[in-house]
Every structure is written in C-alpha cells, then in structure tokens.
Amino acid sequence: MLRVRWLALLSCLFAVFALTVSACGDDDDGGGGGGGGGGQTVDIYSSLPLQGASRPQTTAMVEGIKLALAQAGGKAGDYTVKYTSLDDSTAQAGTWTPEQASANARKVAQDDKAIAYIGEFNSGASAISIPILNEVPIAQVSPANTAVGLTSDEPGADAGEPEKYYPTGNRNYLRIVPKDTIQGAALASLMKSEGCGNVSILNDKEVYGAGLARNIEMSAKEIGLKVLSNEGIDPKAPNFRSQASAMKSAGTDCFVFSGITANGAVQLYKDVHAAMPDINLYGPDGVAESGFSDPKEGGIPADVQAKTKVTVATLSPDEYPPEGKKFFSDFEAKYNEPNPDPYAIYGYEAMRLVLDTCKKLGSDCSDKQAMIDALFQTKGRKSVLGTYDIDENGDTTLTDYGVYTIKDGELTFDKTIQAQGG
Amino acid sequence: LEASTEAARLPVRRNTWDRVRGYIGEYGLIALLLALPVVYGIQDISEDGSLARLGNNVVDGLSNGSIWALVALGYTLVYGIIELINFAHGEVFMIGSLVSAGLFGTLGLTASTGAGGLILGLLLTLVVAMLASGSLNTMIERVAYRPLRNAPKLAPLITAIGFSFILQNVGILWIGGSPEGIPDLIDAQKELFNIGGVSIARGDVLAIAATIPLVLLLTTFISQSRLGRAMRATAQDPEAARLMGINVDTTISLTFVIGGIMAGAAGLIYALYQTTIWFLQGFQAGLIAFTAAVMGGIGNLQGAVLGGLIIGIIQQISDNRIGGEWTPAIVFVYLVLIMVFRPQGLLGEETREAG
C-alpha cells in the first residue's frame, strides 16, 4: 500500500515537473498578444538563428517584428495575434541546424491557430522547413532568403528545384527580399564598375552559397568578366592559405565569397587578403553582419575591412519611401537605436505584410489556405521597402541592392545598385 | 614509447596477396607518399619552369603539419602508455588556444606592442597555456580515466568522448559558438624571406621553430630521463613496471601532463598562426592529429610527427591544386591506403594489444 502511495506521489511530482519544464521550456514569447479580452486568437511564429554570428541581425529582425505587432495593437482585424519567436540555431553549431529548423516547422505545423511562419534567415534552413509547412499548408514568409531554387528553376537553381520543396504541388512560401539572380547581378555589376577583370569565387557549398556563386558566375560572364574559378570550400578547414595562393597564381584581381559568416568567412578573407593585399574583396548579404565586419566581435581586421564591400538588399534610410523613413524613426523611438541593423526593416515588413493581409481577410484570416492565397495576391503593396508585388513564384518585384563598405567594424551604406535580374 | 613486444612470430604461410601487400607496404607506400609532390613537381617544371609553387605548398604544409604534430604527440603518448584514445585531447588543445587568446587581452598584447614586450608576453602566455592544458589533461585523467583503469576498454572511451563534449561547451560559454578572429600579433602571413620564389612567412617560421625544440626536448626526455624510462617501462608492461618499483599511476599522470603541455603549446601556436579561434577547432584538429598519429604508427613519437607533417603537406597540396572541398577525402584516402598496406602505420610496430 505504502509502495502504491509512493508511486502515486512520484507520478504527481513527475507530472508537476514535466508541466513546469514544458512551460519554462517554451521559446521566447514575443508578447504582442496585447489585445486580450474576447475575440479569436491567431498565432504567428518566426524562426531565425538567434545564436551565433547572425545573432545581431536576427535580434534586430525580431525587434522589427515586435515593432510591427505593437503598432498594430497586437491585433489584425478582429483577431488577437500571439507572436512566438523560435530559434533555428544551437549554441553548439553557432548557426542554424537542420534539426532545429525541422523541429520549429513541425511545432508550427501542429498548431491549429498558426497562420504564418516568418523565416527562415538561411536559405538552407528554408529548404527544410518549406516542405513541412507545405504539407499543412501554412504560409511561410522569409525576410532574408535569397537562394533562387527555393522559388524558381531559373539559373542558379539546382536540379529538381523548386518542385522538391513543395510536395503538395502548391506554393506556400514567399519572400520579401530579391532573389540571388538579382544579388548575383548586383555583385557582378559592382565588380565590373570597380575595374575587376579576373574574378575568383569561393562558396560554402550550402543551398544559398553554392546557388549564389552560380548566379555571380553567370552574371559576371554575361557582362564580360573572366571567372577564373568557382570552387567550394571545406567550411571547417583551419585556414585557406593554399586556396588563396592558388587564386593569386591564377591572376585574380577581385575575390568574392558566396556563403555565410559561420562557414569560415573571417579566416577566408584574412587569408585571401594576406596573399593578395591589393585586390578588392566582395561579399554577399550572408556576411553582412557584425560577426564578420567587427573585429571586436571576432570579425575581419581593419586592413581587410578597407578592401571589402558587401551587398545587402537594404538601402540607406534616406533612399526609402516615406513609410521606410518613418520605420527608422519609430524603431529609434522604441529601441533607442538610431542605426538599426540592415535586416530590422525586413523583419518589420514581413510581420506587417502578414498582419495587413490578415486584416484584409477579415474572418477568413484563420483559414490557412485563404491566408496563403491572399499573400500571393499581394500587388502594388506600398511598404516600408517600397512598392512591390509578389509574383506567382512567391518572389518580390523589388530589385534594389545596397552596397556597404566597412568602417570601424560597422557596415556603412555606400550606394544603391539598380541590378537587373540576370 | 612503443608499447611493443618482440613476441615470437609463428611462421605463417603467406599467400600471394599477403606477399603483394607486404611488398607494397615496404616500397609502394613510399611511392604513394611521393605521388602528389612528384606529379605536381613535374607539372610545375613543365608549366612554370620552377618548383616554387610546390615549394610553397610544402612550406605551408610543414608549418600546418607542425601544429598537427604537436597535438598528435598527445594522442600517441597516451595511447602508447595506456592504450586509450584520449578523445578529449583535441579540446585540451582548444582550451590552450582560448587561454592564450584570453591572455593576449589580459596582458594588453596587440599588433602594435613592441618586440620586447611581445616576446615577453608571448613567453608568459606560452608558460600559462602549457600549465593550463597540462593541468586540465591531468585532471581529466584523474577524474575520468583512472577510476576506470580496470573497467572494460569501452568505458574510458566513453568518458573521453564525454569530456570532449564538456570542454566544447566550456569553449562555447567562453567565446560563443562562432569562429572568433583575434589580433594578429606577429603579422603571421607577412613574408620573412623568399628563397627562389618560395615564400616563408613569420607564421611558418614560428610554427616550425617552436615545434622542433619541443619535439626534441620530448624525445630526449623520454629516451634519457629516469621518468622517461619509467614511461617506456610502463608502456611495455605495466605490471612488470609496478613490480620493479615504478609508480605506474604517477607515470601515467606524467604522460597526461606532458601531452597536455604539448597541446597547450600547440594551442598558442595555432592562435598566433591562424589568428582565429573556435570552440570546434579542437575537434577538427583532434581528428587530423589522431589521423596523423595512426598514420605514423600510434604509440610512436616520431611516427606522430611524421604523420602530422605528411597530412599537413597533403592538405596544402590538395587545397592548392585540387580544391579545398576535396581535402578531407584525399587525406583519408591516404590514411586508408596506408592502413591497408601497413596496418601498424608508417613507423609503428605491433602493440601489446595487437601483439
């Protein structure tokens, strides 16, 4: 009898413990719910790498998302919005992991009230979450992905893309940043305008890095640049001196890395600069973060910064329409940050797009398919980023890319490139 | 430190395959190891008219390989004496780098520090890094391996892997999950001199110049000192060594201290040479260094150094000629071929276990 009581007591304790753990273990709840009282609730999630080199960017995105929700009073039409920020990275990896991206997507797929999933930051992560959310289906809006193959089979995509991401045959994924055909063309145009002739490309072999490298190569060749090499790297290699030496022997006068900071970018740029101190170095949005640019955060040193330029689909606040300018002043007012990370505005716009679409749908907002259809019907949207459409593939019609130099560890807007999709 | 026996070998009938294997093991491996340099050497001469490019690959390989050799010594020392693969050794090396980088900040060492201050600071850092890694390695032995001395061999293997992960997480807590650039104190990639087109940078000189005395010191210590003899005796037969009055536990602890000290030195050299540190660097370096130790003949000090240098050169030739994405595969193809035709490694002999 005593044994049975003990067992019962243990079971109760275990149950209490399990409940406590599960309650405490929930991801960061962005709050936002605000409205409270009455009405129905819908859930919106974001899935971004909140640890590792991308943390400053993704933290800014989450702040942008929360700002949009706060400005809407935590509501979309009659619906109260509950926002939850999920993390698709681990401290161990220092970047996104397939396991976390998959776990986040599965968690949202099981939420009946979920209407949208803002993410991922990395194209490779979206390659994992899109098919999971496509089966439900739930609308996925990426504020940062640029890999061509996620939405189209245009040059730069791999065999089987994008169909393999959409098992139902219907689309549920869209993005508000221009895809890499645009970024590849922007980087090629930038290199051409700065007198490059012989370009060497290294890529990190991820969905994003390898795809963008193909786009850069194609665009560069189209405008008359000679591409000496386009090779993958072992991101975990201790250094890249011999590859840098090989590029030097080949006569490289401009170098571009197509990949993300977490995949050895800092060491790579240091080694390439050491081998060829006079050449210009270029990087895409994958390295547009303080973990790459700021030596205080483990980024490249000042002499390498001076030779490096980075493209990001974000412009100077002055170059945005009035709505964009207002975003920057609102952001500063809320977070006391006059110079937000370039990605903050994309987090904001992703949430605004979902909230505005939900409001437009009225009572149909909680209908997952209706939400997807409405998002794909976005036309002439006057946003903080400018006026854009979402095309049938889920791509934005925006094409502007910003060129950033690095000064004292900070990404500093230089100019806008009106790149044409290649 | 070879844990070898001269056990009488039973006469066995050798079939044709064994004879071929033996022949290749003795002579073919030399051809295999020389294949890449010879092929690319001929190519360089025919295309460029000089061997400068190959020379640069070899110099880069020797400097990289020196670091792997220092780490590999720790693996081979421990394996030689207790036949344990100390999987945590790579992480001890990583902690050596983190301690060094931390001390750069504490001592205020920057790229603009004067030569005198820099040398003093780096010497102090070297001592502290060696002490830190040596103590850490000894602590791991005391906590995770010694209590399992008589346990099945898998048990200390698991605790070694466990400690490896614990130390990786210490690294994450310390510097975060991403590779972190640190000040380039010695201007590591600045060319110091150039011999016939072969560029030798400060980092190359540092890595090789620091490794040679350390390896010589270690081999002299093991071959000539009383404690070194005790280590060799323990490696050959722990029970007999105990009966001869050798304190086996102390000797084993000493082995871990020495292995850790080497890892600490390698940690500092790595930090100065690469100018980037990462919590996962120990896992990567450990994998390479362990491969080097096996390639050279695990338990054999000279073999570990030779293995480290060979892997360094293969890596650099592959990075430079074939492509960095293929380098890990090429290194392991070499390892597989060497193991198939010479299972005991390049300089290895049969161990207690195998013998």
Side-chain angles (χ1 to χ4, degrees):
Chain A
M1 191 63 185
L2 195 65
R3 207 175 190 180
V4 173
R5 276 187 196 159
W6 268 108
L7 271 175
L9 183 63
L10 274 174
S11 306
C12 289
L13 280 172
F14 181 76
V16 170
F17 176 73
L19 281 172
T20 313
V21 167
S22 57
C24 296
D26 257 3
D27 291 276
D28 170 35
D29 184 339
Q40 291 170 293
T41 305
V42 288
D43 294 340
I44 299 175
Y45 294 83
S46 69
S47 174
L48 303 164
L50 301 175
Q51 301 171 82
S54 305
R55 180 175 168 75
Q57 287 62 46
T58 53
T59 305
M61 275 186 173
V62 170
E63 286 173 347
I65 290 170
K66 286 180 178 174
L67 175 62
L69 188 54
Q71 285 180 348
K75 301 196 75 138
D78 291 335
Y79 285 91
T80 298
V81 175
K82 183 179 171 231
Y83 164 62
T84 305
S85 166
L86 304 176
D87 184 358
D88 71 7
S89 67
T90 64
Q92 184 89 8
T95 183
W96 72 275
T97 68
E99 296 79 10
Q100 282 301 116
S102 166
N104 290 352
R106 278 186 278 112
K107 175 178 177 152
V108 176
Q110 287 161 12
D111 179 354
D112 290 340
K113 290 182 179 172
I115 56 160
Y117 182 92
I118 297 173
E120 313 280 342
F121 183 73
N122 300 92
S123 298
S126 284
I128 289 165
S129 57
I130 295 170
I132 296 170
L133 297 170
N134 183 255
E135 297 268 17
V136 180
I138 290 175
Q140 180 169 354
V141 181
S142 173
N145 292 164
T146 53
V148 176
L150 294 176
T151 55
S152 77
D153 61 358
E154 287 176 18
D158 246 342
E161 287 182 329
E163 289 78 15
K164 65 181 180 183
Y165 302 124
Y166 304 96
T168 63
N170 300 315
R171 297 300 182 97
N172 65 311
Y173 169 87
L174 56 140
R175 53 180 158 196
I176 54 172
V177 280
K179 62 187 175 213
D180 279 337
T181 41
I182 313 288
Q183 180 162 216
L187 273 163
S189 306
L190 175 63
M191 288 191 282
K192 172 105 174 168
S193 71
E194 298 196 341
C196 297
N198 299 317
V199 177
S200 287
I201 307 167
L202 288 179
N203 72 76
D204 66 3
K205 298 190 288 185
E206 284 197 3
V207 171
Y208 161 75
L212 173 60
R214 285 193 291 271
N215 288 118
I216 299 170
E217 183 176 358
M218 281 184 290
S219 298
K221 284 177 177 169
E222 274 173 23
I223 59 173
L225 297 176
K226 188 172 178 188
V227 178
L228 299 174
S229 61
N230 177 9
E231 289 176 3
I233 60 163
D234 170 14
K236 292 186 171 67
N239 62 58
F240 306 93
R241 290 178 194 192
S242 282
Q243 279 143 301
S245 162
M247 288 189 283
K248 183 183 180 182
S249 306
T252 300
D253 60 18
C254 285
F255 165 75
V256 57
F257 171 58
S258 175
I260 60 172
T261 306
N263 286 338
V266 173
Q267 185 71 44
L268 178 60
Y269 278 78
K270 284 200 280 193
D271 289 344
V272 172
H273 178 70
M276 297 170 283
D278 298 326
I279 71 164
N280 290 335
L281 313 173
Y282 300 90
D285 53 350
V287 297
E289 52 199 9
S290 52
F292 173 77
S293 65
D294 189 353
K296 289 187 196 121
E297 296 189 30
I300 53 176
D303 55 339
V304 187
Q305 289 173 27
K307 302 299 289 183
T308 305
K309 284 187 177 171
V310 172
T311 52
V312 195
T314 312
L315 312 178
S316 162
D318 311 336
E319 311 234 350
Y320 279 110
E323 295 86 349
K325 292 189 177 97
K326 184 174 179 307
F327 161 78
F328 287 100
S329 58
D330 290 348
F331 194 92
E332 182 178 0
K334 186 167 171 66
Y335 298 110
N336 197 25
E337 172 56 72
N339 186 25
D341 185 273
Y343 278 105
I345 196 168
Y346 283 98
Y348 178 88
E349 171 56 16
M351 180 56 113
R352 276 292 300 268
L353 173 63
V354 173
L355 293 176
D356 290 349
T357 307
C358 179
K359 194 175 174 184
K360 206 186 302 174
L361 280 170
S363 59
D364 283 343
C365 172
S366 58
D367 181 336
K368 298 179 197 314
Q369 188 59 54
M371 172 57 90
I372 294 169
D373 294 342
L375 283 168
F376 272 80
Q377 281 156 19
T378 300
K379 300 289 174 228
R381 175 176 167 77
K382 288 188 171 58
S383 78
V384 289
L385 300 170
T387 302
Y388 68 89
D389 300 346
I390 295 293
D391 69 16
E392 69 282 4
N393 292 328
D395 284 318
T396 174
T397 49
L398 290 171
T399 57
D400 288 352
Y401 258 86
V403 178
Y404 285 72
T405 56
I406 306 173
K407 282 182 188 143
D408 299 327
E410 287 222 349
L411 290 164
T412 309
F413 181 80
D414 182 28
K415 60 184 173 185
T416 302
I417 290 193
Q418 304 271 345
Q420 299 303 309
Chain B
L1 195 75
E2 198 66 62
S4 62
T5 63
E6 290 302 319
R9 293 178 188 173
L10 291 173
V12 288
R13 182 176 290 173
R14 300 179 75 197
N15 60 26
T16 313
W17 167 242
D18 284 338
R19 279 200 294 277
V20 169
R21 219 168 70 134
Y23 182 77
I24 295 175
E26 283 189 30
Y27 305 105
L29 283 183
I30 298 171
L32 173 72
L33 291 171
L34 291 175
L36 280 182
V38 168
V39 167
Y40 287 116
I42 293 168
Q43 185 184 315
D44 285 355
I45 288 174
S46 60
E47 287 178 5
D48 309 333
S50 88
L51 287 171
R53 188 174 173 189
L54 183 65
N56 279 313
N57 295 161
V58 172
V59 168
D60 286 345
L62 289 176
S63 53
N64 274 284
S66 298
I67 300 171
W68 306 146
L70 282 179
V71 183
L73 283 171
Y75 280 103
T76 219
L77 273 169
V78 168
Y79 188 85
I81 207 153
I82 54 172
E83 293 187 349
L84 165 75
I85 299 160
N86 180 13
F87 278 114
H89 188 71
E91 276 62 42
V92 173
F93 153 76
M94 175 267 292
I95 294 291
S97 279
L98 267 54
V99 167
S100 302
L103 272 174
F104 294 167
T106 308
L107 298 173
L109 299 179
T110 63
S112 54
T113 305
L118 197 60
I119 290 169
L120 272 178
L122 289 180
L123 281 175
L124 180 63
T125 306
L126 178 68
V127 171
V128 175
M130 287 166 106
L131 285 176
S133 294
S135 316
L136 179 63
N137 216 22
T138 316
M139 186 274 289
I140 293 171
E141 189 273 331
R142 184 68 190 85
V143 172
Y145 305 151
R146 193 181 295 183
L148 302 173
R149 194 68 45 81
N150 297 314
K153 284 201 167 178
L154 273 180
L157 204 67
I158 297 301
T159 54
I161 292 169
F163 247 100
S164 167
F165 280 107
I166 290 168
L167 292 177
Q168 280 183 24
N169 282 275
V170 169
I172 292 173
L173 287 172
W174 195 335
I175 61 162
S178 305
E180 186 170 305
I182 57 171
D184 187 0
L185 296 183
I186 59 165
D187 204 353
Q189 299 198 51
K190 185 176 183 183
E191 186 178 280
L192 210 54
F193 43 90
N194 191 306
I195 306 167
V198 178
S199 170
I200 294 163
R202 291 180 180 190
D204 301 326
V205 174
L206 167 85
I208 296 167
T211 302
I212 290 172
L214 283 170
V215 171
L216 288 177
L217 204 66
L218 178 66
T219 45
T220 310
F221 174 80
I222 286 173
S223 63
Q224 294 183 13
S225 73
R226 190 179 165 82
L227 286 169
R229 282 200 295 275
M231 285 169 69
R232 282 185 294 143
T234 307
Q236 283 194 347
D237 190 335
E239 283 311 308
R242 201 187 302 275
L243 290 172
M244 292 295 109
I246 291 171
N247 187 333
V248 170
D249 280 338
T250 307
T251 309
I252 291 172
S253 291
L254 177 71
T255 310
F256 276 84
V257 172
I258 295 172
I261 281 174
M262 290 290 156
L268 170 63
I269 297 167
Y270 183 95
L272 289 170
Y273 185 86
Q274 310 285 15
T275 68
T276 302
I277 53 172
W278 190 22
F279 82 95
L280 218 50
Q281 75 178 55
F283 179 77
Q284 297 299 325
L287 198 64
I288 295 167
F290 178 61
T291 308
V294 172
M295 188 182 273
I298 192 137
N300 184 300
L301 297 183
Q302 290 83 357
V305 175
L306 182 66
L309 297 179
I310 289 173
I311 288 183
I313 293 170
I314 294 171
Q315 283 180 316
Q316 296 306 315
I317 291 179
S318 169
D319 276 358
N320 189 259
R321 317 288 185 133
I322 302 165
E325 57 195 319
W326 303 107
T327 298
I330 288 165
V331 168
F332 280 95
V333 163
Y334 263 87
L335 179 72
V336 169
L337 287 172
I338 290 172
M339 288 293 103
V340 167
F341 294 111
R342 197 170 164 81
Q344 68 272 40
L346 293 170
L347 303 182
E349 296 169 32
E350 290 175 48
T351 61
R352 278 205 306 274
E353 194 179 43

